[in-house]
Amino acid sequence: IWLFTLLVFVLAGCEKDEIGNTATEALAGEWKVTVDAVDEGGNVIAEDFNGIGHILMNTYNTAANTPTEMYVDDIGHFWEYKVRVKSDVNALTFATNGAAPNEAYECDVTIDGGKILLGAATTPHGTPADSIVYYISFSDDEPGMRYKVSGYRYSGLAVDD
């Protein structure tokens, strides 16, 4: 009886539960991006705004884990913003649809034109990677200032640092 009980526990312990992915997996990631100041038409007026170079930022699911919203977060590397955006996982797009509250500090943030382009970027060491691009503006910035954030999905490899 003891051997049978032990066998049941061992076999039951070997079953693996399927672990699902987040609802925004296709849009989520760590990104290496640059920030350019742009005019109202999206034309670059100042490359590498303030000379900050490449910065890391994240996109990730909310606690609700739905495919229709996610966070865009610069982790304090550019303006210090963490903004909840509307997302479309099938179209690989995201935007705030108007001004949205910044969860990092008190100001409103507008993100538009956000999209992920699969395999459209090249990392510094020459391999293909997903691309990210979006436009962002802040209520506490000079009126009319807008920025283009663009880059590639970070590989984590030292050659991409």
Side-chain angles (χ1 to χ4, degrees), residues 28-45:
E30 186 172 28
W31 306 90
K32 196 101 179 210
V33 298
T34 56
V35 181
D36 300 324
V38 296
D39 62 18
E40 293 169 2
N43 302 307
V44 175
I45 56 175

